[in-house]
Each structure stands twice: as structure tokens, then as C-alpha cells.
Amino acid sequence: MRVQISVVGRLRIGPEKDLIDDYLTRFERTGRALGITDATIIEVEDKKGSRQQVEAELLLKSIPKGAIIVTLDERGKLLTSPEFATKLADWRDNGAPVVCFVIGGADGLIKELRAQADASISLGKMVWPHMLARVMLCEQLYRAVSILAGSPYHRV
């Protein structure tokens, strides 16, 4: 199973990009033995003044056919890291070719896009900047495969 992260906006060189690259490298290395491979980030352009509707259309075009769609949204379900790992394993075990995580722009995702999602998760009760949400998701993806692999990275 592959993982895709579809996001609004371009992330430039800096600490967030360094963290994302590091976590995704670790994710791919650990996930490979588990049948969870290849994490890619698809960035859609957020032109100044573009509306959420335009962002949603671009995000929807980026999602591969047959993918499980998971939105990151403040109204989504709160999961523990082990619960997130179990969800990832369930999608893999049920034959999903791709799980696509969708992160909107600064104004979030429109309800029509959220309605098309197979799942919606929240990174907490607080709202996070969408660029930081990318870093947090990548860390949780690495943590999830570490949990599935029995690695000591996740300490209880």
C-alpha cells in the first residue's frame, strides 16, 4: 500500500521540510517490510485570493483512483497513535492500494470535500497551521509503522 499526502501550498526549504523529509525517509524504511511503502506529497498551488472551492477541486484531482481518502480536519476523529497504526494496518489488510491524506489551506476544507472522505481525523482539539499539520502527520505515519513493527520508538 502506498501513502499520498495531498496538500494546499508549497513548502519551501526550512525546518518543516527537513522534518518531513526525515520522517518520510524513516517511514519508508520501516514500512517497506510491512507492505506500506512509498510516501509522496502532492502540493497544489494556493494562489493568493483563491477560494476554498478552487483548492478543493485541485485536491480532488490529485487523489488517485481507488484511494482511501482521509481528511485532516479539526472536526475529525481523535485517535491515539496505536489506534492510528491499527487504522493504517486495516486499510493495508483490506487491500487499499493507496491511502491519501488531504490537508487543506489556511481556511481548511469545504464540506463537500469532507463528505467524500472515507475517514476524517483530527490532530487535536487545537487548530494547527496547515504547514505544521504536514510535519505532525508525517511523524505520526512514522510512529504508526514503528508501532506495527514493534519498534521501541513509541513508548507507552
Side-chain angles (χ1 to χ4, degrees), residues 26 30 34 141-154:
R26 293 182 194 192
T30 305
L34 302 168
L141 285 166
Y142 170 58
R143 184 175 297 273
V145 294
S146 295
I147 290 168
L148 296 172
S151 162
Y153 179 75
H154 179 74

Side-chain angles (χ1 to χ4, degrees), residues 12-143:
R12 307 285 186 245
I13 293 172
E16 295 93 348
K17 180 158 181 18
D18 293 343
L19 283 168
I20 288 168
D21 291 345
D22 182 44
Y23 285 128
L24 290 183
T25 298
R26 293 182 194 192
F27 167 80
E28 288 178 346
R29 192 176 5 193
T30 305
R32 194 172 301 122
L34 302 168
I36 303 172
T37 62
D38 190 38
T40 57
I41 296 180
I42 304 297
E43 296 176 318
V44 300
E45 190 63 47
D46 68 335
K47 298 194 171 45
K48 292 207 185 298
S50 72
R51 300 178 335 268
Q52 284 177 291
Q53 181 65 40
V54 173
E55 293 174 355
E57 290 167 7
L58 292 170
L59 286 167
L60 285 169
K61 284 180 188 175
S62 77
I63 299 170
K65 294 232 184 286
I68 299 288
I69 301 171
V70 183
T71 56
L72 270 68
D73 186 79
E74 65 184 293
R75 293 166 288 267
K77 185 174 182 174
L78 291 169
L79 299 173
T80 65
S81 295
E83 289 170 337
F84 180 64
T86 299
K87 273 285 213 208
L88 204 58
D90 287 347
W91 290 322
R92 175 202 60 199
D93 296 346
N94 288 322
V98 182
V99 174
C100 184
F101 294 92
V102 181
I103 301 174
D107 295 321
L109 299 167
I110 62 171
K111 67 180 179 181
E112 292 81 9
L113 192 151
R114 291 192 319 262
Q116 293 186 40
D118 298 290
S120 182
I121 59 175
S122 172
L123 295 174
K125 292 185 178 187
M126 294 180 175
V127 175
W128 296 97
H130 63 283
M131 294 298 185
L132 272 182
R134 289 188 202 190
V135 174
M136 295 166 69
L137 173 61
C138 291
E139 191 282 336
Q140 284 300 300
L141 285 166
Y142 170 58
R143 184 175 297 273

